[in-house]
């Protein structure tokens, strides 16, 4: 079967990454795929933090994205999030939480940014159905924006104390660095500086502003000052993807970068979030028909700043301006002696409606970008070796598709 005839099918990932029309996160992912030579996403369908982190550690070098199901992890906590983020940073992959949002805007905003999962705080990518209507997209985008802003704000409070005393020049000080304009006797309207003094009865201490009963020659009081600072920082955007060319070829005359150096120059992911729309499914007899798929594509075009692409079974780019990424699940190696299935043909399954196709065939023949593999890797005896096997085959399909390999 010939690959889908759209420019994205025959254009190298590194060249697509240079498009100025792409969101920063999409550009970063395409660059990452090119440097690692991996268009493999592994679906970590596991039930404990320890197994999730162990899996991520074992396969991280072979993947570009790790897909999670946070709601099936029995002991999901901050430890899960921090551990996963640390491995993702060290192994250079993005995190994709497969939440499949599908509700009214107000509800999905809370599901995305609040509750025990707080997905928007740690997952670079997530996904959604559009059967509630296309308004689900700006609702999720708004929640992502608010979450990222809150993550970048830090509040610190500094408390200083001192004992008022009379200086050599007759002025009262707090025992710290002189403050010429500091009034050691603030009025009752001052909210952040109070003088602590014993009461006149000497039976109970109170916290109150200074009164006329205060006698500096007999009493010592402490000034407590609280200063609150709100700061805001932002993570850098990824470097210009054009520098990626040096890691792919020496056509510019420069020596190609090795993988480690190229990844270092690429830097961390941009401080952004992205959405994938569920346009097609790999399960048998699913109800996502062609009209629904077309509506997904139309909605994505209206929100190209947040929608990076689709979860689908084929390349859905049709308009010449389309540049969406396609993630394809239902990928697995067939049993020995059986050929991998292709779209429209009966392929092997799990007895529960799921159908699988080979990674090389899916990438080469359907023009998709990233293959999603679950149990084929997770249940393998040697998960690192199996992930590498899938990576090589998916990459081979990509090179055959763009004409680098026959």
């Amino acid at each position: 079967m010939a690959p889908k005839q759209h420019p994205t099918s025959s254009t190298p990932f590194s060249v697509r990454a240079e498009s100025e029309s792409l969101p920063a996160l999409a550009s970063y992912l395409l660059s990452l795929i090119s440097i690692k030579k991996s268009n493999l996403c592994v679906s970590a369908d596991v039930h404990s933090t320890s197994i999730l982190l162990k899996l991520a550690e074992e396969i991280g070098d072979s993947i570009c994205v790790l897909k999670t199901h946070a709601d099936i992890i029995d002991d999901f906590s901050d430890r899960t999030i921090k551990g996963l983020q640390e491995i993702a940073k060290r192994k250079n992959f993005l995190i994709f939480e497969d939440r499949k949002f599908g509700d009214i805007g107000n509800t999905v905003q809370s599901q995305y940014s609040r509750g025990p999962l707080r997905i928007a705080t740690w997952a670079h990518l997530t996904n959604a159905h559009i059967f509630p209507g296309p308004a689900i997209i700006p609702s999720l985008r708004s929640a992502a924006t608010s979450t990222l802003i809150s993550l970048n704000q830090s509040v610190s409070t500094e408390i200083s104390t001192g004992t008022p005393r009379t200086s050599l020049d007759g002025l009262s000080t707090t025992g710290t660095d002189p403050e010429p304009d500091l009034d050691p006797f603030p009025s009752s309207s001052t909210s952040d500086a109070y003088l602590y003094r014993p009461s006149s009865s000497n039976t109970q201490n109170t916290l109150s502003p200074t009164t006329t009963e205060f006698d500096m020659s007999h009493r010592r009081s402490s000034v407590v000052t609280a200063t609150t600072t709100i700061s805001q920082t932002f993570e850098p955007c990824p470097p210009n993807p054009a520098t990626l060319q040096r890691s792919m070829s020496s056509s510019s005359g420069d020596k190609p970068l090795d993988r480690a150096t190229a990844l270092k120059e690429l830097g961390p992911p941009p401080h952004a979030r992205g959405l994938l729309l569920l346009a097609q499914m790999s399960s048998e007899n699913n109800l996502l028909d062609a009209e629904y798929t077309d509506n997904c594509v139309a909605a994505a075009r209206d929100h190209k700043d947040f929608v990076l692409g689709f979860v689908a079974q084929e390349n859905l780019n049709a308009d010449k301006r389309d540049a969406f990424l396609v993630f394809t699940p239902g990928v697995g190696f067939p049993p020995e002696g059986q050929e991998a299935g292709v779209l429209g043909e009966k392929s092997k399954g799990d007895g529960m409606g799921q159908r699988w196709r080979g990674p090389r065939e899916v990438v080469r023949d359907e023009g998709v970008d990233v293959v999603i593999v679950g149990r084929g890797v997770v249940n393998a005896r040697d998960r690192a070796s199996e992930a590498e096997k899938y990576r090589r085959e998916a990459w081979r399909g990509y090179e055959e598709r763009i004409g680098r390999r026959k």
Side-chain angles (χ1 to χ4, degrees):
M1 179 185 296
K4 302 299 180 181
Q5 296 304 311
H6 186 271
T8 54
S9 293
S10 57
T11 305
F13 289 130
S14 57
V15 176
R16 290 169 62 186
E18 297 178 21
S19 173
E20 296 180 356
S21 64
L22 285 178
L25 191 58
S27 178
Y28 181 91
L29 177 56
L30 287 167
S31 300
L32 183 66
I33 290 171
S34 298
I35 294 172
K36 295 186 75 173
K37 294 185 177 179
S38 173
N39 52 340
L40 172 65
C41 168
V42 167
S43 182
D45 300 333
V46 298
H47 303 291
S48 73
T49 294
S50 60
I51 295 176
L52 174 64
L53 300 184
K54 187 173 186 294
L55 173 65
E57 189 72 43
E58 291 173 351
I59 67 172
D61 290 328
S62 296
I63 65 175
C64 60
V65 177
L66 183 71
K67 184 167 76 73
T68 59
H69 281 288
D71 54 359
I72 68 172
I73 298 176
D74 296 329
D75 59 346
F76 187 88
S77 66
D78 284 342
R79 172 176 167 260
T80 313
I81 297 172
K82 292 177 181 177
L84 195 55
Q85 288 178 321
E86 189 278 326
I87 298 172
K89 180 179 180 180
R90 181 162 41 83
K91 297 283 187 176
N92 300 287
F93 61 80
L94 299 185
I95 304 170
F96 166 23
E97 169 54 23
D98 190 6
R99 180 58 179 81
K100 297 184 177 73
F101 291 104
D103 213 317
I104 61 171
N106 184 64
T107 299
V108 298
Q109 285 184 330
S110 296
Q111 291 172 328
Y112 189 28
S113 61
R114 304 180 66 87
L117 301 183
R118 306 189 313 280
I119 296 166
T121 66
W122 54 270
H124 304 98
L125 303 170
T126 192
N127 55 2
H129 295 282
I130 65 158
F131 54 72
I136 192 173
I137 300 173
S139 297
L140 289 170
R141 180 181 56 195
S142 175
T145 301
S146 299
T147 299
L148 293 177
I149 290 174
S150 66
L151 287 176
N152 277 318
Q153 290 181 337
S154 62
V155 179
S156 61
T157 301
E158 180 181 328
I159 299 178
S160 60
T161 62
T163 302
R165 67 176 184 273
T166 303
S167 64
L168 294 178
D169 59 5
L171 297 176
S172 176
T173 70
T174 63
T176 58
D177 292 337
E179 290 283 353
D181 296 328
L182 177 65
D183 180 4
F185 305 101
S187 67
S188 59
S189 63
T190 303
S191 60
D192 62 349
Y194 288 89
L195 295 181
Y196 172 75
R197 67 175 184 81
S199 65
S200 58
S201 63
N202 292 324
T203 59
Q204 185 177 3
N205 292 335
T206 60
L207 184 66
S208 64
T210 301
T211 66
T212 55
E213 297 176 353
F214 185 85
D215 184 350
M216 278 289 293
S217 63
H218 297 91
R219 310 276 186 182
R220 281 196 170 189
S221 303
S222 295
V223 175
V224 179
T225 302
T227 303
T228 300
T229 302
I230 300 178
S231 60
Q232 188 164 341
T233 58
F234 289 93
E235 294 181 9
C237 289
N240 189 329
T243 62
L244 178 68
Q245 292 300 320
R246 283 189 57 209
S247 70
M248 306 305 296
S249 69
S250 56
S251 59
S252 63
D254 296 326
K255 183 179 179 180
L257 300 177
D258 60 85
R259 171 173 149 162
T261 304
L263 287 171
K264 184 176 180 180
E265 286 203 2
L266 181 65
H271 200 59
R273 298 291 180 258
L275 182 68
L276 301 174
L277 296 181
L278 282 145
Q280 295 173 331
M281 295 185 70
S282 57
S283 54
E284 195 171 7
N285 298 323
N286 70 79
L287 302 180
L288 305 190
D289 59 18
E291 182 180 0
Y292 182 87
T293 300
D294 290 342
N295 286 329
C296 284
V297 175
R301 288 172 181 155
D302 290 337
H303 302 281
K304 291 187 289 187
D305 59 335
F306 185 53
V307 178
L308 272 61
F310 311 99
V311 175
Q313 295 296 298
E314 57 189 326
N315 190 331
L316 298 180
N317 291 319
D319 187 272
K320 64 180 181 180
R321 293 169 295 182
D322 289 344
F324 299 110
L325 286 85
V326 177
F327 285 60
T328 299
V331 174
F333 290 124
E336 289 189 25
Q338 178 181 327
E339 293 186 4
V342 295
L343 191 64
E345 296 180 6
K346 187 174 180 59
S347 55
K348 70 167 189 166
D350 62 356
M352 292 184 286
Q354 177 64 294
R355 298 175 297 173
W356 292 311
R357 297 178 290 156
R360 177 186 170 196
E361 293 75 20
V362 168
V363 174
R364 182 193 63 201
D365 300 339
E366 304 303 333
V368 306
D369 300 308
V370 179
V371 296
I372 301 175
V373 180
R375 285 165 278 183
V377 170
V378 175
N379 295 339
R381 287 187 177 182
D382 187 339
R383 296 186 288 201
S385 295
E386 196 69 9
E388 185 61 17
K389 183 179 175 182
Y390 274 99
R391 183 202 67 79
R392 286 195 304 266
E393 283 297 292
W395 193 253
R396 179 183 176 186
Y398 158 70
E399 290 192 320
E400 290 174 342
R401 188 180 82 200
I402 65 172
R404 284 184 183 169
R405 180 188 295 199
K406 294 182 179 179

